[in-house]
Amino acid sequence: MNSPTPSSARISIIGAGPGGLTCARILQQHGIAVTVYDRDPDAHSRNQGGSLDLHDDDGQLALREAGLLEEFFALARFEGQEMRHLDPAGNVLAHHLPNEGETASPEIDRGQLRELLLRSLTEGTVRWGRTLESVSGPDDGPRTLIFADGTTVETDLVIGADGAFSRVRPAVSSATPVYTGVSFLEAWFDDMESAHPGLSELVGKGSAHAADGKRGLFAQRNSGGHMRVYLMQCVPANWIAANGLRPEDTEGIRAHLLREYADWSPRTLRLITDNDGAYVDRPLLALPVPHTWEHSPGVTLLGDAAHLMPPLGVGVNLAMLDAGELALALVHSATVDDAVRRYESTMLPRSAEIARMLEGGAQSMLDLFESDERR
Ligand SMILES: Cc1cc2nc3c(=O)[nH]c(=O)nc-3n(C[C@H](O)[C@H](O)[C@H](O)COP(=O)(O)OP(=O)(O)OC[C@H]3O[C@@H](n4cnc5c(N)ncnc54)[C@H](O)[C@@H]3O)c2cc1C
């Protein structure tokens, strides 16, 4: 088959996450038609999760290309760039306080970022409640999207931006995500200033991290006076059931955590026990390194679908960088096939290199932090 020109092609993006929406926005800015399919019933149907820091050398570059950098800056929390390294007693070992005007990595809630991108798209671009089941069709012809409700759509290019458990990925690769050996347990705090003033003071306006070599925590301020804490443990993926607990047994999990973190001071333990609501279990997965595939006309991947890595602050930034590069490759190439080749020739080696650097990085989050003075 002759590959179509990008402006005449039927382009489908699976996934309305930061990567998929950034790609759609930049394509539309250049007059290229695109449809995004997402399994969520609507834009607000689930909590979008924590705060994301967008870096000036990747995530922000994509937002600039999308014409949304100023709007991002208007929403971003620059004070969220404050970072503290604590010991298990709550003593500050290192402290980064952002300079006046520092814009290297301001924070934004994931939900706010999604809203910002959605608002920028032509009405009706995102088809909600469309769960992709699989992609079929010949290597050299149009592909067919098969949805869970039995409907199908024929398309010239499928962009898999559907995250860790991508249903597009099997069309190019047999790789599946593997457990890293580290689990996050998410704890949520409301109304920090009046309900949790001691923790507010301990964490500061950005994030705070502490670890003792076996376990750790990462506390992260969100907008609206909220905070998320990720409790990090090197445990089997099924650790809750293995300890005779159920995910909804908040008191049982809390008692278990108090035993596990028994050496930590009462002050830091409050980051573990004083949460509002239930804990959320988030075992960390990653794709084998390097994850790559043979070029296949008509299908490509971006973001977590292409290179799921441990969450060390690069995931969303790489997803948006991929998205910007793929969109611009489509804008500037004669055919869809040329564009996908051009995009993959940059994205695959870059993500393989970063994935190699971060391989095993989930465990490094538990390493004992030593301040420069102590080394
Ligand atoms: C606990 C945790 C904390 C993190 N913290 C950070 C951080 O601080 N900074 C950072 O840079 N990264 C962080 N990450 C990583 C970051 O969340 C991801 O790298 C980023 O969201 C990837 O974006 P994406 O657009 O590729 O995919 P996603 O954000 O996963 O979006 C995928 C979209 O596809 C949709 N979808 C999925 N399957 C289907 C289907 N079958 N059919 C249709 N639609 C589908 C989903 O509904 C979703 O909207 C963290 C990850 C975790 C787990």
Side-chain angles (χ1 to χ4, degrees):
M1 170 196 95
N2 287 332
S3 181
T5 62
S7 55
S8 68
R10 296 162 295 178
I11 300 178
S12 303
I13 297 177
I14 310 301
L21 294 177
T22 303
C23 189
R25 160 69 178 176
I26 298 173
L27 288 174
Q28 286 189 346
Q29 270 184 307
H30 292 271
I32 296 182
V34 58
T35 306
V36 181
Y37 298 93
D38 199 283
R39 68 180 171 195
D40 287 347
D42 59 57
H44 312 286
S45 58
R46 73 184 156 92
N47 186 320
Q48 286 296 306
S51 183
L52 298 165
D53 57 320
L54 298 191
H55 306 160
D56 55 5
D57 55 358
D58 38 36
Q60 289 183 35
L61 291 183
L63 280 180
R64 183 190 301 272
E65 200 56 57
L68 297 171
L69 193 60
E70 291 310 315
E71 275 185 71
F72 163 68
F73 281 158
L75 290 168
R77 283 175 283 111
F78 293 91
E79 72 281 8
Q81 295 171 107
E82 181 180 353
M83 267 188 284
R84 296 180 183 187
H85 278 278
L86 308 175
D87 69 12
N91 301 307
V92 178
L93 301 175
H95 190 184
H96 171 74
L97 205 54
N99 294 318
E100 183 74 27
E102 185 171 317
T103 58
S105 55
E107 297 276 339
I108 186 166
D109 285 9
R110 190 186 283 264
Q112 291 176 311
L113 178 62
R114 195 188 219 193
E115 277 297 325
L116 169 70
L117 289 162
L118 282 171
R119 270 200 310 275
S120 75
L121 296 176
T122 309
E123 214 181 319
T125 303
V126 182
R127 309 285 161 85
W128 298 107
R130 302 299 302 274
T131 303
L132 185 84
E133 201 63 47
S134 62
V135 177
S136 75
D139 253 11
D140 60 348
R143 298 296 186 122
T144 303
L145 305 175
I146 303 170
F147 291 96
D149 60 8
T151 57
T152 59
V153 171
E154 195 176 81
T155 190
D156 299 308
L157 175 63
V158 191
I159 299 172
D162 50 343
F165 301 101
S166 172
R167 291 301 187 113
V168 180
R169 192 189 298 127
V172 289
S173 153
S174 58
T176 52
V178 175
Y179 180 53
T180 59
V182 175
S183 256
F184 277 12
L185 188 71
E186 187 179 310
W188 175 248
F189 295 74
D190 294 318
D191 202 4
M192 287 298 291
E193 305 315 324
S194 39
H196 305 284
L199 296 183
S200 177
E201 197 186 314
L202 181 65
V203 170
K205 293 188 173 5
S207 61
H209 167 253
D212 67 7
K214 290 192 183 132
R215 53 195 81 75
L217 60 79
F218 178 74
Q220 182 188 56
R221 298 296 282 254
N222 286 213
S223 71
H226 299 291
M227 180 174 75
R228 267 193 171 74
V229 176
Y230 296 113
L231 305 172
M232 310 183 292
Q233 305 178 80
C234 210
V235 285
N238 67 344
W239 69 275
I240 293 184
N243 284 287
L245 296 163
R246 287 171 298 108
E248 58 277 15
D249 179 5
T250 303
E251 287 310 321
I253 292 178
R254 194 168 278 146
H256 174 82
L257 292 169
L258 278 171
R259 288 191 293 277
E260 290 297 308
Y261 287 77
D263 300 339
W264 291 44
S265 73
R267 189 169 178 225
T268 45
L269 279 177
R270 298 187 71 168
L271 286 167
I272 296 166
T273 58
D274 286 13
N275 52 312
D276 300 299
Y279 296 100
V280 182
D281 187 29
R282 296 198 186 281
L284 301 184
L285 301 148
L287 278 167
V289 179
H291 178 235
T292 186
W293 59 88
E294 289 295 318
H295 169 75
S296 170
V299 184
T300 195
L301 305 175
L302 63 78
D304 280 4
H307 44 65
L308 179 67
M309 301 177 202
L312 291 158
V314 298
V316 77
N317 287 284
L318 287 183
M320 293 172 72
L321 186 65
D322 292 353
E325 289 180 353
L326 175 55
L328 289 181
L330 284 159
V331 169
H332 296 301
S333 300
T335 68
V336 164
D337 191 28
D338 290 347
V340 173
R341 279 185 196 280
R342 187 195 284 203
Y343 158 70
E344 289 175 349
S345 71
T346 307
M347 182 277 290
L348 286 171
R350 174 182 60 228
S351 52
E353 188 186 335
I354 298 171
R356 268 189 209 101
M357 286 187 320
L358 299 187
E359 202 175 5
Q363 276 81 4
S364 73
M365 292 186 279
L366 307 179
D367 290 347
L368 197 56
F369 178 80
E370 294 180 272
S371 70
D372 288 341
E373 302 84 69
R374 289 180 171 203
R375 272 189 197 130

